[in-house]
Amino acid sequence: ITASIYNYSTILPVGTHYWKSYANDSANQINVTDEWTFTIAQASSEVNTTINNSESNLTIDKDTTIDLNCTLITGTGSIYLYNNGSLINSGSSPIGNSTTFSTKGAYNITCLYQSTTNYSASSETYWVTVSNSIPTVTQPAITPATAYTNNTLTANTTYTDVDADSGTVYFLWYVNGTNVYNQTNNSISNGTVVITTLASTYFNKTN
């Protein structure tokens, strides 16, 4: 055999490899090439996180249920979906979870692909912010129902906050459309009945 070109083809895994060639003729003459080293690196993986079908952060009210989804774009194998560091689903792409958020705060939603032989790890995170609930007050009840010029008027309302946050309750008294007296009540606890009074000096029988 005279001069010829020989080819070798195979699929190699990620890592560092080397090759060299040997030749042996009919006279048992042997020759060896230099050794050549090469490295096959991991390919980059890619995942996609969506919150209510959107790749963006989301602000919601308490007790809202939304869809959290995780999709593998590039790579092979399983993916993992986390809510604030807690695993809520895993498996073959795509995966998801319908989640109800009942407590105010900020929650990071992460789709994770772990490193494999041929693909590097990757992740994508978006945030769900659960808003504080709006406090409520009941319609003020004023007594006496029929007022005389020597009466002191009393009004009360109940302050409610489902988050158990304290708040401030304001009373604004008006007589014939004119603001005559205000009262501010600070650090009011959830479920508190707040009372205000208006002295008879602020109104007369012609009002």
Side-chain angles (χ1 to χ4, degrees):
I1 298 175
T2 57
S4 298
I5 297 175
Y6 294 91
N7 296 308
Y8 176 74
S9 179
T10 189
I11 297 175
L12 296 173
V14 168
T16 300
H17 306 268
Y18 75 91
W19 68 270
K20 58 183 176 179
S21 298
Y22 297 82
N24 183 13
D25 65 10
S26 58
N28 204 30
Q29 300 294 312
I30 298 175
N31 195 11
V32 180
T33 66
D34 293 335
E35 182 176 293
W36 300 86
T37 301
F38 61 96
T39 300
I40 300 176
Q42 285 179 310
S44 297
S45 66
E46 182 182 0
V47 292
N48 172 261
T49 302
T50 59
I51 298 175
N52 261 6
N53 300 314
S54 177
E55 284 189 83
S56 61
N57 301 322
L58 182 66
T59 298
I60 59 174
D61 295 326
K62 280 182 57 179
D63 299 319
T64 299
T65 300
I66 59 175
D67 292 328
L68 311 175
N69 291 290
C70 174
T71 303
L72 179 62
I73 306 300
T74 304
T76 57
S78 297
I79 50 178
Y80 303 83
L81 181 61
Y82 292 87
N83 177 0
N84 250 17
S86 295
L87 182 66
I88 57 176
N89 204 347
S90 64
S92 299
S93 176
I95 58 175
N97 186 276
S98 292
T99 302
T100 301
F101 291 85
S102 301
T103 305
K104 66 180 180 179
Y107 299 82
N108 65 79
I109 309 303
T110 300
C111 178
L112 172 68
Y113 176 80
Q114 296 179 341
S115 178
T116 61
T117 300
N118 294 317
Y119 290 92
S120 61
S122 64
S123 64
E124 185 173 58
T125 298
Y126 289 107
W127 290 84
V128 174
T129 301
V130 181
S131 299
N132 198 6
S133 300
I134 299 173
T136 61
V137 290
T138 57
Q139 180 73 29
I142 301 176
T143 56
T146 300
Y148 295 94
T149 55
N150 63 338
N151 288 146
T152 294
L153 301 182
T154 300
N156 68 78
T157 185
T158 301
Y159 169 83
T160 302
D161 189 291
V162 297
D163 302 309
D165 294 330
S166 61
T168 301
V169 175
Y170 303 90
F171 288 103
L172 285 74
W173 288 90
Y174 286 82
V175 176
N176 291 335
T178 301
N179 180 216
V180 297
Y181 177 73
N182 298 323
Q183 178 179 315
T184 300
N185 304 271
N186 297 309
S187 301
I188 303 301
S189 299
N190 176 47
T192 300
V193 177
V194 189
I195 299 173
T196 182
T197 58
L198 183 69
S200 59
T201 54
Y202 289 101
F203 57 91
N204 55 59
K205 66 181 180 179
T206 64
N207 296 143

